[in-house]
Amino acid sequence: MINKSRLSRSSVTLLAFCLLLPAAPIFCDELGEDRICKPELLDCSAIELGNAGIFRWTCNHDQPGGEGFFIVFIRPSGTYVLLKVPKGRKVFEFTPDVAGSWRWMVINTHPDRTKPDVESSPGYFQVMRAEGDKK
C-alpha cells in the first residue's frame, strides 16, 4: 500500500495564492484596470504656412486619463517637435515652420513611472505655402 500524504485545505490555498500572486499584475493589465486611456486623434484641416492649427484628441472615459499629455509634431524631413500639453487640456495650438506633409501623435503619460505610457495612432496634416509665396 502506498502512503499518500494529504495536504490540508489551508496548505492548498496557501500554495495556490503563492503561485497566482506573481501573475496578478498581468491579469490586471489584461482587464484594463491598470491602464490609462489611449488618445484618439480628431481630424485637423490643412494649415497655411505661418498660421496656427488646432489639434484635438479624446480619451476613453472608462479609463483614467493619466498624468498628462505630450504632443509630437513630425516634420516632413523627419525631425520632430515634442511639447508638453498643459494639464487638463485635450486641445493644442501649433504653428508649423515648414510646408509639406506632417505627422502628429499624442502620448498619455502614466502616473506610475514604472508603467508604460500610451501613444495614439499617428495623425496627418498638410501645411501649404501661402498664395503668392514662391519659396
Side-chain angles (χ1 to χ4, degrees):
M1 191 164 161
I2 299 173
N3 184 6
K4 295 182 181 179
S5 67
R6 290 183 170 237
L7 294 174
S8 69
R9 258 190 198 173
S10 60
S11 297
V12 171
T13 303
L14 182 61
L15 178 62
F17 181 76
C18 291
L19 291 174
L20 294 177
L21 185 61
I26 296 167
F27 293 128
C28 290
D29 272 350
E30 287 176 3
L31 296 174
E33 292 179 17
D34 196 27
R35 301 187 67 137
I36 54 175
C37 69
K38 178 179 180 177
E40 296 290 328
L41 305 181
L42 302 176
D43 287 336
C44 59
S45 59
I47 302 169
E48 189 174 282
L49 189 62
N51 293 327
I54 305 295
F55 299 86
R56 300 176 195 278
W57 60 94
T58 62
C59 262
N60 182 345
H61 295 294
D62 295 339
Q63 292 178 315
E67 186 64 22
F69 296 102
F70 283 89
I71 190 166
V72 183
F73 295 100
I74 305 158
R75 292 182 181 96
S77 65
T79 60
Y80 63 90
V81 178
L82 174 67
L83 301 166
K84 179 143 180 60
V85 177
K87 196 162 186 153
R89 299 199 46 206
K90 293 182 185 160
V91 62
F92 198 86
E93 187 174 312
F94 175 72
T95 304
D97 57 357
V98 295
S101 294
W102 286 64
R103 288 179 293 152
W104 69 294
M105 61 190 306
V106 174
I107 302 167
N108 190 5
T109 58
H110 202 293
D112 180 350
R113 302 313 287 155
T114 65
K115 306 267 191 290
D117 297 335
V118 178
E119 300 175 354
S120 69
S121 297
Y124 301 89
F125 63 98
Q126 200 65 32
V127 178
M128 298 176 286
R129 296 195 184 284
E131 289 291 321
D133 189 359
K134 302 292 183 199
K135 286 187 177 181

